[in-house]
């Protein structure tokens, strides 16, 4: 079982930046089974949407809406995931979730962290 804990959310003014973190824990077997990690978000009244993903190889992909503003990365231990968010807009207000996908085709989700962009 993989457990994910997000942090770094909060209130930020439009145009500001935030860096979200996601820490993965579990058995060595479980952690080694992770082959991709990603960020999703869900705004009030909307469906959850994919933001970005990164594979164990280090290759990253982004939804078009976030290219150039958001950057996904991993820590050296590869059990920490980051999302650097720049030029934030009020419409970026949402709960941001971390997801880990495994070689067993199972997905694990964190509880989410709230990001509010407002002046």
């Amino acid at each position: 079982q993989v457990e994910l804990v997000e942090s770094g959310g909060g209130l930020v003014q439009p145009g500001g930046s935030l860096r979200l973190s996601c820490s993965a824990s579990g058995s060595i077997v479980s952690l080694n089974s992770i082959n991709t990690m990603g960020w999703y978000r869900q705004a009030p009244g909307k469906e959850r949407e994919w933001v970005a993903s990164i594979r164990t190889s280090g290759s990253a992909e982004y939804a078009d809406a976030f290219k150039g503003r958001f950057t996904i990365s991993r820590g050296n231990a590869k059990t920490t995931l980051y999302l650097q968010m720049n030029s934030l807009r009020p419409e970026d207000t949402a709960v941001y979730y971390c997801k880990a996908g495994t070689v067993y085709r199972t997905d694990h989700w964190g509880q989410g962290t709230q990001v509010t962009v407002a002046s």
Side-chain angles (χ1 to χ4, degrees):
Q1 185 73 9
V2 175
E3 293 187 2
L4 302 171
V5 178
E6 302 95 336
S7 61
L11 174 64
V12 63
Q13 292 187 342
S17 299
L18 276 178
R19 190 176 83 152
L20 306 182
S21 299
C22 171
S23 179
S25 63
S27 68
I28 292 176
V29 172
S30 295
L31 294 177
N32 286 338
S33 74
I34 296 173
N35 58 5
T36 183
M37 295 185 76
W39 289 98
Y40 291 71
R41 73 180 191 181
Q42 187 166 17
K46 295 187 177 181
E47 294 186 353
R48 192 172 296 188
E49 64 176 334
W50 171 63
V51 175
S53 295
I54 187 166
R55 295 185 174 88
T56 51
S57 63
S59 65
E61 296 178 305
Y62 297 87
D64 288 343
F66 308 107
K67 290 179 180 177
R69 290 196 305 130
F70 292 5
T71 303
I72 191 171
S73 63
R74 293 177 307 177
N76 291 334
K78 299 182 180 180
T79 56
T80 304
L81 182 71
Y82 301 104
L83 184 68
Q84 178 67 42
M85 305 186 294
N86 299 326
S87 302
L88 285 163
R89 307 162 181 165
E91 53 264 38
D92 293 318
T93 295
V95 178
Y96 285 72
Y97 297 92
C98 173
K99 188 184 90 168
T102 75
V103 296
Y104 305 114
R105 300 189 179 183
T106 58
D107 293 330
H108 303 272
W109 293 88
Q111 294 298 309
T113 185
Q114 175 71 46
V115 172
T116 302
V117 184
S119 56

